[in-house]
Amino acid sequence: MKAVFRLSALSVAFMLSACQPQQEPAATTAPGAPGQPSTWSYAGKTGIGSSYEQYQDGRYADTASTGVVSKVWFSLAQGILTETMAGLIHEAQLRELQLVVQGQGFVDEEKTATNSETDYLLKDAAGRPLALSYRVTNTAKNGQYEIEKQYFTDPSAQSMVVRTKFKALADGLTVYSYIDPALANTGSNDKATFKDGMLQAQDGSNSLTLLTVPAPLQATVGFAGVSDGLTELKKSGKVPAYQSTGETAGNVAALLTHATLKKGETASWDQVIGFGSDAAQSQAQAQQTLARGLDTVLAQYHGDGDAIGWQDYLTQLPALATLTDQSTDQGKLLYASALVLKAQEDKTHAGAFIASLSNPWGEAKSAEQAQTGYKAVWPRDFYQVAMALLALGDKESPKVAFQYLQKVQVTDKTPGYSGTPGWFLQKTHVDGTLEWVGIQMDQTAMPVMLGWRLWQDGVLSDAEITSWYHSMLKPAADFLAHGGKVKLDWNDIDLKSPATQQERWEEQYGYSPSTMAAIISGLVSAADIAAKAGDSENATLYQQKADEFAGKLEALTYTEQGQLKTANSDGKYYLRINSNEDPNDNSVLELRNGQADTREGNVVDGGFLELVRYGVRKADHPAVLATLGEMDDLTLPDLTRVRYEFKTASGQTVSGWRRYGIDGYGEDIVSGEAYANGPGQTNTAGQRGRVWPFFSGERGHYELARALLQKPQLAEAELAPLRAQYVGAMEHFANEGLMLPEQVFDGVGNNSHYQYQPGEGTNGATPLAWTHAEYIKLLRSLQDQKVWDRYPLVEQRYAK
């Protein structure tokens, strides 16, 4: 699909000369350093993007078929360009680029003054996206202008492209670009200049250059909130002419003047942001993109003709066509999910799949210090992504991902570590740099489970799985079987399996149904791999430990004296977490997310469904059936209630679930403000975790497993309700850019700040890779009429 608008063909020389301002004022230095404290951007992204690159021998290299590896990622939110990364996937270099419009009596910021629509530039006849390039249309709330933008990266350079068309619907509108760099993944250590028609900013060995064609009429740089052009424009209606922020670094921003238009007039311009280690390098990257021609760049990004791009990746996914039949939206969310998962992989450390290209509640989070947000590796989320890519028929990416895992396993080489090796780090940068060091036993089980599955599917040979057993999987299985002493940073513990220091929500110590499901499945998988590797002694040990833990499961995690007793609940259910060996003592849980005096008997979650997913318990096991009552009880008070219902556009009622009752990981129901946990912030008692869309997928997997107990093959009439309820729910929760959020608004509490609609994604992490992965796996499970994450050896042994 060609661009809707374009500049006429220009020679390289003319394009570069067009970057020269017509009249450059004398250089002056902006006052007000360091400017206001910096924050990140709104996290509810409606789009993300990066170029598709092919592997060469399991890594990314400039010598691969796709050529130079472009290491640029971007995100869109509120109708504008937000965090844009270059280098490693978590290294933000830009906070935002938006338009500012000045008219009679107003100065508008595009992100707050317009109604936005996000669409894909390249779609098939059914409307399924074929590449992560976007058309964003923003219409002024005051009715005075319309904006259309296109966003994509250059697959052969370190640069970002924004093409803009502005239409005035009233007289006397002046339009500007406002750009806020955030180089080196921080917002307040930058310097900026505007010279020779170029905006350039620098922070140490990180630089960006913004080229605009046609050149802006004028431009100014300054310190955000103090002397930047936007602040001055709002204050006085005039734009200053500062050409440099001087030698004092700070939170810098720039304002570029494009045109003053009469009603009915339009103006178009292209902007390319180049990234590099210094001004010369970032400028060269931007100029290279302009010189190639932006239509050519876009065609390569898409993979048109002989070029290799996103369309080529989709053609390598053999399951796409059949999985489309299991969707209720003709495959739109499916195609977007495939693209989104692959795009959230680092290109320096191949196989490093992150949790989300966002910082939750970013606009309320400080950018004074570098942070990854969700742009980091959690082995749990990582497992979901690898399994989803495998479900699509991509066998190369999951193998590269599995190989990457050795980078985040604890060994005697882990900096600062002493103790038992084998477990996998809680959260790391993509290069393996330690960030969080809690022990989550499911995150140690899942790499073993993934390895077994790749072996069974022929992705790993017998020789390869044997090698990986000795180098990576055996130490992990040993830790699953026994636990051990750990000393790393703040973490000093002697952990005894099957207890976990933290369950899958990274908050509590104890015995968790979901964690035990993974431990048992991981040990059974390890026993099978050990037998293949000729280690019969440990094969027997791992199986014995799995049997022991499976035999203790209900005694450790199932209460018969729970506190959630209503007309619909009998007080018998799997606990979210049991902090000791007595599930009936109603012990106090640790304070988390502002929720004080929380007792384990008051909290239920959907983690027990993982027992059925992996095959540890049958879908009709009495304890499983008993827990469904509390999990689904709509009469529970909002504090402890988990299930909520939503109306889709077609009028259908679908369900969603919170992580657990008394969850504080979300916006405040009293003030309506963002979740508070950053520097200088304090958790509040009013914080409330909302509905997470991937639980609709988890429930769909369970209901499929339960239906298959009745008959081994379901008719279409029996599959259709599952598809409508659970696939339909996840599609309903996707935003207009087909991004699936971490959380959606449940309708509870003060909503004055964000003004969400029920079922609308909140300002948590969006897109969440885990949610997109769960959606893909649900489609595959429905197609196969078999739960995708089921482990047959586990099922045969325990789910009888």
Side-chain angles (χ1 to χ4, degrees), residues 49-55 60 65-70 72 130-132 153-156 300-303 307-316 339 342-343 345 347 394 396-397:
S50 186
S51 64
Y52 168 66
E53 309 286 343
Q54 287 187 331
Y55 295 125
Y60 289 113
S65 300
T66 39
V68 172
V69 179
S70 176
V72 177
L130 301 178
L132 293 171
T153 67
D154 185 344
S156 293
Q300 182 186 353
Y301 186 88
H302 286 164
I308 300 174
W310 279 114
Q311 293 177 92
D312 299 278
Y313 177 67
L314 294 177
T315 62
Q316 299 170 28
L339 296 167
K342 183 61 177 172
E345 176 188 12
K347 295 174 186 174
D394 179 350
E396 191 175 19
S397 299

Side-chain angles (χ1 to χ4, degrees), residues 90-163:
H90 67 266
E91 292 178 333
Q93 310 293 351
L94 173 73
R95 177 179 178 268
E96 71 176 29
L97 172 63
Q98 66 163 324
L99 296 190
V100 172
V101 182
Q102 181 183 25
Q104 185 64 40
F106 69 88
V107 175
D108 279 357
E109 291 188 58
E110 183 181 8
K111 65 183 179 183
T112 56
T114 65
N115 296 313
S116 180
E117 295 182 5
T118 302
D119 199 3
Y120 290 84
L121 281 176
L122 186 65
K123 301 183 290 186
D124 66 11
R128 295 181 283 255
L130 301 178
L132 293 171
S133 56
Y134 299 90
R135 176 184 294 107
V136 176
T137 304
N138 293 334
T139 304
K141 294 176 181 178
N142 64 14
Q144 295 198 27
Y145 53 90
E146 293 175 349
I147 303 163
E148 182 185 314
K149 293 183 180 178
Q150 297 180 4
Y151 296 96
F152 51 94
T153 67
D154 185 344
S156 293
Q158 312 309 317
S159 60
M160 172 77 211
V161 178
V162 183
R163 312 191 77 176

Side-chain angles (χ1 to χ4, degrees), residues 504-505 512-515 517 574-577 603-613 624 627-628 630-632 642-643 657-661 694-695 698-699 702 770:
R504 69 173 177 167
W505 305 129
S512 153
S514 64
T515 299
Y574 285 108
L575 297 172
R576 172 205 165 195
I577 189 79
V603 185
V604 68
D605 79 338
F608 70 98
L609 295 179
E610 298 293 87
L611 297 166
V612 178
R613 180 195 291 257
V624 171
T627 310
L628 292 175
E630 285 76 16
M631 184 180 174
D632 291 344
V642 180
R643 180 185 174 191
W657 288 264
R658 300 170 66 200
R659 294 195 303 176
Y660 54 84
F694 74 68
F695 292 127
E698 287 193 352
R699 186 56 175 269
Y702 168 76
W770 188 345

Side-chain angles (χ1 to χ4, degrees), residues 571-591:
K572 298 179 180 180
Y573 44 87
Y574 285 108
L575 297 172
R576 172 205 165 195
I577 189 79
N578 176 27
S579 61
N580 54 46
E581 295 189 358
D582 183 359
N584 295 310
D585 67 357
N586 203 29
S587 295
V588 176
L589 296 175
E590 295 182 49
L591 171 64

